[in-house]
Amino acid sequence: MTNVNLAIVYYSSTGTNYQLSKWAEEAAKAAGAEVKVLKVEELAPPAAIESNPAWKKHVEETQHVPVATQADLEWADAIIFSAPTRFGNIPSQMKQFLDTLGGFWAQGKTINKVVSAMASAGNVNGGQEQTIHTIYTSMMHWGAIIVAPGYTDESIYKAGGNPYGTTVTVTEKGIVEDAEAAVKHQAKRTVQVAEWVKAGLQ
């Protein structure tokens, strides 16, 4: 059987979800997957980005990261989404990307994609779980197979105990939780389930 193709699709203004994506990439590659780390297109005006030094710095540092396309999702057997919360919802950048995939969905190309999601917010009860649920709602419409981490590894408890997907709290000091191991476990689990699904479809 060929290796699982994993697309890690993220939005990050100041780098948190990029960091989560890079941890996931490391673990997925170790698990034998072919991996693409992809950002969704930035919609914010340059003036907004320029007004925030951390945002500007991150945009400049990630210019090398490709923008996610429909072709990337067609290539992927599995997808991990990672996004910050925006009032308990996903950022407009991530929503716009999902909204461009109507034709892809209509052709049945989202069916049986294996998906998982991660999120972040500025405080513990900042909407992280709801952000993941929002992504998963779209995935149900896709006919995708959702892979939540549940409580399948001790690292999940150390990262805050979110069974839906790894979530982090970000302060001026950075990520609060000890989340790296949980992200890596979630990525490996996603790849493992994708291997089962891919084998079953071949």
Side-chain angles (χ1 to χ4, degrees):
M1 186 184 76
T2 57
N3 290 353
V4 165
N5 294 334
L6 172 67
I8 302 172
V9 179
Y10 77 93
Y11 175 71
S12 193
S13 54
T14 58
T16 301
N17 286 276
Y18 178 62
Q19 178 63 75
L20 299 181
S21 298
K22 293 301 287 182
W23 285 337
E25 176 190 30
E26 182 182 341
K29 284 183 173 179
E34 298 292 329
V35 185
K36 292 182 182 181
V37 174
L38 307 157
K39 62 188 176 187
V40 296
E41 187 175 359
E42 181 60 82
L43 303 178
I49 298 170
E50 291 285 336
S51 71
N52 183 327
W55 195 352
K56 181 176 184 245
K57 181 174 182 285
H58 179 66
V59 167
E60 291 171 349
E61 289 176 347
T62 55
Q63 288 181 358
H64 66 284
V65 179
V67 173
T69 67
Q70 179 177 301
D72 292 316
L73 296 198
E74 188 161 6
W75 166 85
D77 303 303
I79 309 159
I80 295 175
F81 293 98
S82 191
T85 187
R86 294 290 186 267
F87 303 113
N89 214 316
I90 56 175
S92 57
Q93 292 88 344
M94 184 66 78
K95 179 65 164 61
Q96 191 267 352
F97 174 67
L98 294 176
D99 285 348
T100 66
L101 299 170
F104 186 65
W105 164 82
Q107 296 172 60
K109 292 185 176 180
T110 60
I111 295 170
N112 293 331
K113 295 289 184 184
V114 173
V115 300
S116 199
M118 307 182 291
S120 66
N123 52 69
V124 175
N125 295 311
Q128 295 98 319
E129 290 185 2
Q130 187 61 40
T131 299
I132 287 180
H133 289 169
T134 299
I135 293 170
Y136 287 166
T137 296
S138 295
M139 296 304 101
M140 291 177 203
H141 284 256
W142 277 20
I145 297 168
I146 296 169
V147 179
Y151 296 109
T152 54
D153 190 76
E154 186 63 30
S155 63
I156 293 159
Y157 294 97
K158 293 178 181 177
N162 191 335
Y164 311 113
T166 308
T167 56
V168 296
T169 310
V170 186
T171 69
E172 65 278 358
K173 295 180 181 179
I175 296 173
V176 172
E177 295 85 0
D178 182 8
E180 181 176 353
V183 170
K184 290 181 174 180
H185 171 72
Q186 183 173 348
K188 288 177 183 176
R189 177 170 163 80
T190 302
V191 170
Q192 182 181 53
V193 173
E195 286 174 347
W196 298 336
V197 172
K198 190 169 184 176
L201 293 171
Q202 287 182 340

